[in-house]
Amino acid sequence: MVGPVGLVVFGLIAYPLFSALYMSLTDKAIGAAGSFVGLGNFAALLRDSIFLQALRNAALYTIVAVAIKAVAGLGLAVALAALGERAAVLRALLLLPWVVPVSITALAWWWMFDPMFSVINWVLRAIGLQDAGIPWLADSTWARVAVILVNVWRGLPFFATVFLAGLLSIPREFYEAAETDGAGPVQSFVRVTLPLMRPILSLVVLYSTVMTVADFEIIYILTRGGPLNRTHLFATYAFQVGLEGTLIGRGAAIVLWMFPVLVVASYLTLRIVRRGEEYG
Amino acid sequence: MDIERLGAELGKKVVTRRELLKVAGALGGAAVLGGYSFLVRPARGAPAQTVSIMHWSHFVPAYNPELERQVATWAAQRGVAARVDFIAYRDIPARLAAEAEARRGHDIVQLRVFDTALYRRHLVPLDDVAEALERESGPWLSLARYLAFLDNRWYGIPWYYWSFPATINTEHWGRIGMGSANVAALDWSGFLEAAERLHRLGAPVGMAISQTFDANDALYPLLWSFGARTVDERGNVVIDSAETAAAVEYAKRLFRFMPREVLGWDDAANNRFMLAGAGSWTPNAPSIWAVAKLQRLPIAEKIDHVPMPRGPKGRFRSASTLALGIWRFSPNVELAKDLIRFLLRPENYGRQVEASMGYNQPFLRRLREHPYWRGERVLRFYEPSREQLAVPGWPGPAGEAAQLVYTAFVIPVMFAKAVTGEMSTAEVIRWADRELRARYRA
């Protein structure tokens, strides 16, 4: 059993990772061997204005999107828990954005943000909120809003569903005890729900951080990193440099700048999982 | 152990859990060790005499079946099998990269603008084919030599290109009293005045100033026509010039009369802009007209093509080009060469032109004599081109740096920073200078 598993782990995880690490230390272009350049690619990226922009974009995109998903996801989970069985259909519908392939949903959003045919702008105009329409993908601030919005829309169901499962697993007795001690709904939430939900909250936030910082499809389909490179993330810029530009060594180095974030997130996730905190 | 033997073994007896795990492990290991090279070798397992060709899924849908038909005809004549794989244009870079790395894949690949230069280490020199074709239908356009004749060898056979004149809505231009001939004669100064009037009428002109390939094809000709260049013939960065400043200043004035959305346009946005009847002018290949005609949209009657406006230093048009190359690892080099020659025979090429509704433009002088473009009035300014043809990156060396600048959209971003007021003209030029130097050094 160990043999096949080891082979799969080596082939699917270790080999690509070390291959990318090695490539990032070379000036390899696609189809050519490349020579060893040490940390030259990483140093060059620190002088690359588009990469530095992508670094800032990734931080903003990840922090804002994950924060919104966490807060809104928790709120949604609490509301669904309060509604109980009455929200069964809603719970099923909620999963739709998460289960439909991202390339399809991103294309649908792209159409909704279209400068001429945007249904969102049409609605805003119809209700008199906006005459000119919002330049969703033409303005760098609005483009950031748009890509974060799509990421939140897609990730929110996952947050809400996992949080809901966590909420439902908290023993009812804890709330009854809190009530007996005179706690109101807000106090119960702060003193009972949040502490008991902390492991699951941390786990989901860390998982989502990893997925969000490595996002590709939403950006690639909606903005290709524009306008003014303000929505480029590591993966989209790596694709541009490594595959379209054929400098695969430099492209690997761009992606590996994500590595520290991923390592820290993975370490913390594993710690939480190992600790195996249980209720009661 | 090969898969057939494994299958036979499995069929003979009851499989225990341990055996099943061994088989799964072996298959998993084989899949992993084979890696993605297994996935990118469509010809594996097929007869050695199957010639495969990779081609993008053409913008004009009628072209794809015609190409398939011609390849099938050739295969029947030679008694071999042949196949065309149509791939989305956006997926071509990844596909080429995977095949070059794995040293497996199609026999013939289509090579976009600088791909011939980028992949020349992996391509069979095709001097014999290029010279024979030149004798039959030449001479080659200078653009063909620039892109595919590298280090004194032909590494690709320039096949066709499509270029970016201006697509106009004649009805809108008619409202300001200008016919196609008047628009065709405009210089950038006259165009600016017309753009202002069209803007006031609610029928603006528009060109992408965004991170999309159409933006490169719209903005480089503007730059060139003012006498500016990104690099010289040796690859020295020369963007920091009075001519660039003049082009940027002009774009700032013109931007006031365009929809702000041009800053976020993708490659299809200007098509929708014209097909919806909203726009009066946009640089584009004739795909807008072709789609309108194929779908019998009334707007087709209003569309015409005219040259790009003339600048102080001439009139330029950008081109997107395709060449055919043969991988060195191909087991069918001679057959592949024969297929390329077949596809470039005048009679076959003519049918390709017709199927593409004139979209495909030839690199060989004699092939340009096809009557299709003269027969379709709307294409009279498309082929032959009145403007000087060039590709973004010209006149610098074809290769990695030009490709990096093209894919990083340095020039569109330079214009975008200027027209949005994020930087002054002098600042954006300095910014572009730094970006170009970084890539030409790399």
Side-chain angles (χ1 to χ4, degrees):
Chain A
M1 192 68 185
V2 174
V5 172
L7 199 60
V8 169
V9 168
F10 174 79
L12 296 182
I13 299 169
Y15 173 72
L17 179 65
F18 285 111
S19 176
L21 264 172
Y22 173 72
M23 271 198 284
S24 73
L25 302 175
T26 69
D27 61 359
K28 181 173 169 52
I30 285 171
S35 50
F36 186 75
V37 294
L39 296 174
N41 284 326
F42 295 91
L45 286 172
L46 291 175
R47 296 188 299 272
D48 179 343
S49 69
I50 302 178
F51 173 74
L52 295 175
Q53 182 68 58
L55 203 66
R56 289 192 291 273
N57 299 341
L60 181 80
Y61 181 74
T62 307
I63 292 168
V64 175
V66 173
I68 295 174
K69 283 185 281 191
V71 173
L74 192 56
L76 198 55
V78 170
L80 289 170
L83 286 170
E85 282 308 306
R86 282 172 292 164
V89 177
L90 210 59
R91 280 185 213 173
L93 287 176
L94 184 69
L95 278 174
L96 271 179
W98 195 58
V99 296
V100 178
V102 64
S103 50
I104 294 173
T105 52
L107 276 173
W109 278 101
W110 167 73
W111 189 241
M112 289 196 281
F113 291 137
D114 182 272
M116 292 189 63
F117 306 107
S118 167
V119 67
I120 304 171
N121 283 350
W122 184 84
V123 170
L124 291 175
R125 269 194 292 269
I127 59 176
L129 276 180
Q130 263 276 346
D131 280 343
I134 294 171
W136 288 107
L137 304 178
D139 177 88
S140 48
T141 305
W142 281 111
R144 282 171 159 171
V145 171
V147 292
I148 289 172
L149 178 67
V150 177
N151 181 283
V152 169
W153 175 84
R154 182 170 163 73
L156 190 61
F158 173 72
F159 274 69
T161 306
V162 178
F163 288 165
L164 180 62
L167 282 174
L168 296 177
S169 68
I170 298 174
R172 183 76 210 135
E173 293 80 24
F174 287 10
Y175 293 106
E176 287 165 2
E179 261 180 64
T180 310
D181 291 343
V186 176
Q187 276 178 310
S188 286
F189 181 75
V190 174
R191 303 279 180 187
V192 178
T193 310
L194 277 185
L196 291 176
M197 286 283 286
R198 207 185 60 204
I200 209 160
L201 275 169
S202 314
L203 206 63
V204 172
V205 164
L206 287 170
Y207 171 77
S208 178
T209 301
V210 170
M211 300 307 286
T212 307
V213 81
D215 213 346
F216 176 81
E217 292 99 331
I218 291 173
I219 306 295
Y220 189 70
I221 291 172
L222 288 183
T223 64
R224 286 185 76 98
L228 303 173
N229 295 313
R230 294 281 160 70
T231 60
H232 253 316
L233 300 180
F234 294 107
T236 50
Y237 191 47
F239 179 82
Q240 187 177 297
V241 173
L243 284 178
E244 291 182 332
T246 71
L247 297 183
I248 197 84
R250 180 73 59 87
I254 294 169
V255 175
L256 285 172
W257 273 96
M258 277 192 284
F259 202 56
V261 180
L262 303 184
V263 167
V264 171
S266 305
Y267 171 73
L268 293 175
T269 307
L270 284 174
R271 261 191 60 174
I272 293 164
V273 171
R274 280 210 196 108
R275 210 188 293 157
E277 292 187 27
E278 290 173 5
Y279 309 129
Chain B
M1 188 184 288
D2 60 30
I3 290 171
E4 287 80 5
R5 274 180 59 203
L6 273 173
E9 289 292 316
L10 287 170
K12 259 194 288 187
K13 57 185 181 181
V14 176
V15 182
T16 66
R17 179 177 162 277
R18 187 171 292 275
E19 283 167 336
L20 184 67
L21 285 173
K22 277 184 187 169
V23 171
L27 287 173
V32 169
L33 293 173
Y36 63 87
S37 60
F38 174 77
L39 300 173
V40 299
R41 193 188 183 192
R44 191 166 192 158
Q49 295 296 83
T50 296
V51 179
S52 57
I53 176 167
M54 180 175 82
H55 189 269
W56 68 299
S57 191
H58 202 285
F59 282 133
V60 182
Y63 179 77
N64 297 342
E66 174 58 25
L67 179 61
E68 272 187 317
R69 192 195 61 75
Q70 290 192 14
V71 170
T73 304
W74 170 83
Q77 286 175 7
R78 299 293 183 275
V80 296
R83 190 185 73 242
V84 189
D85 289 330
F86 293 98
I87 291 171
Y89 193 73
R90 275 187 169 192
D91 296 339
I92 299 281
R95 191 69 189 231
L96 277 177
E99 294 197 4
E101 276 296 298
R103 289 174 169 73
R104 287 176 177 184
H106 296 85
D107 297 294
I108 303 174
V109 283
Q110 68 153 65
L111 302 159
R112 299 156 314 144
V113 188
F114 293 118
D115 285 344
T116 312
L118 293 170
Y119 289 101
R120 66 177 177 270
R121 289 180 292 262
H122 301 278
L123 298 168
V124 174
L126 297 169
D127 301 333
D128 49 346
V129 180
E131 284 159 13
L133 287 168
E134 187 159 42
R135 279 195 300 276
E136 284 163 24
S137 310
W140 290 104
L141 296 190
S142 59
L143 185 60
R145 289 184 178 276
Y146 171 67
L147 294 167
F149 189 65
L150 308 155
D151 307 326
N152 293 318
R153 314 254 358 219
W154 289 93
Y155 285 95
I157 299 298
W159 188 10
Y160 63 85
Y161 65 92
W162 60 96
S163 58
F164 294 76
T167 300
I168 63 167
N169 181 319
T170 53
E171 188 175 74
H172 292 323
W173 284 90
R175 288 159 70 195
I176 60 166
M178 295 183 79
S180 294
N182 306 115
V183 188
L186 282 174
D187 60 11
W188 282 114
S189 172
F191 180 76
L192 188 67
E193 288 171 24
E196 184 176 8
R197 293 166 68 194
L198 288 161
H199 172 69
R200 275 197 245 112
L201 285 175
V205 302
M207 63 164 120
I209 310 181
S210 55
Q211 286 169 241
T212 195
F213 295 118
D214 273 7
N216 279 320
D217 292 306
L219 294 166
Y220 271 88
L222 173 68
L223 205 60
W224 294 327
S225 68
F226 276 82
R229 304 285 184 268
T230 48
V231 287
D232 64 18
E233 289 82 353
R234 298 170 64 183
N236 299 309
V237 175
V238 293
I239 188 86
D240 194 352
S241 66
E243 289 81 6
T244 306
V248 171
E249 283 298 326
Y250 179 84
K252 284 159 79 171
R253 290 197 294 277
L254 183 60
F255 179 65
R256 289 182 290 149
F257 309 127
M258 291 198 278
R260 186 180 168 77
E261 284 74 20
V262 297
L263 296 167
W265 271 6
D266 58 26
D267 282 346
N270 64 340
N271 296 42
R272 296 193 294 273
F273 175 64
M274 296 300 291
L275 287 170
S280 54
W281 177 98
T282 195
N284 209 74
S287 54
I288 298 172
W289 164 76
V291 168
K293 191 175 174 186
L294 283 170
Q295 296 183 358
R296 296 195 173 88
L297 303 177
I299 192 96
E301 301 302 317
K302 299 173 189 167
I303 289 176
D304 202 354
H305 301 98
V306 295
M308 291 289 279
R310 192 178 59 250
K313 296 293 164 62
R315 221 186 259 276
F316 287 82
R317 190 193 290 184
S318 179
S320 276
T321 65
L322 284 191
L324 291 170
I326 303 172
W327 292 126
R328 279 185 187 275
F329 53 74
S330 163
N332 301 311
V333 171
E334 290 310 314
L335 276 171
K337 283 183 181 179
D338 188 56
L339 174 55
I340 292 174
R341 287 192 63 174
F342 180 84
L343 292 172
L344 276 123
R345 277 188 195 166
E347 65 275 21
N348 292 332
Y349 200 93
R351 287 193 201 99
Q352 292 167 32
V353 167
E354 290 159 20
S356 75
M357 299 175 72
Y359 188 88
N360 292 11
Q361 296 174 275
F363 283 103
L364 285 159
R365 195 76 65 186
R366 217 184 110 196
L367 299 179
R368 304 179 86 187
E369 291 162 9
H370 194 280
Y372 189 89
W373 296 288
R374 259 63 66 186
E376 278 288 0
R377 190 174 178 278
V378 72
L379 297 176
R380 67 200 179 286
F381 287 116
Y382 180 61
E383 173 63 39
S385 166
R386 268 68 163 179
E387 306 99 304
Q388 181 174 343
L389 277 177
V391 294
W394 170 86
E400 284 89 353
Q403 177 82 354
L404 283 170
V405 172
Y406 182 74
T407 55
F409 306 106
V410 172
I411 295 307
V413 173
M414 176 187 81
F415 278 104
K417 283 176 183 284
V419 301
T420 53
E422 184 173 299
M423 286 183 181
S424 69
T425 300
E427 285 169 339
V428 291
I429 294 173
R430 277 201 297 277
W431 174 86
D433 187 75
R434 280 196 303 276
E435 296 298 320
L436 286 163
R437 282 179 199 282
R439 284 162 182 81
Y440 275 85
R441 259 201 311 272

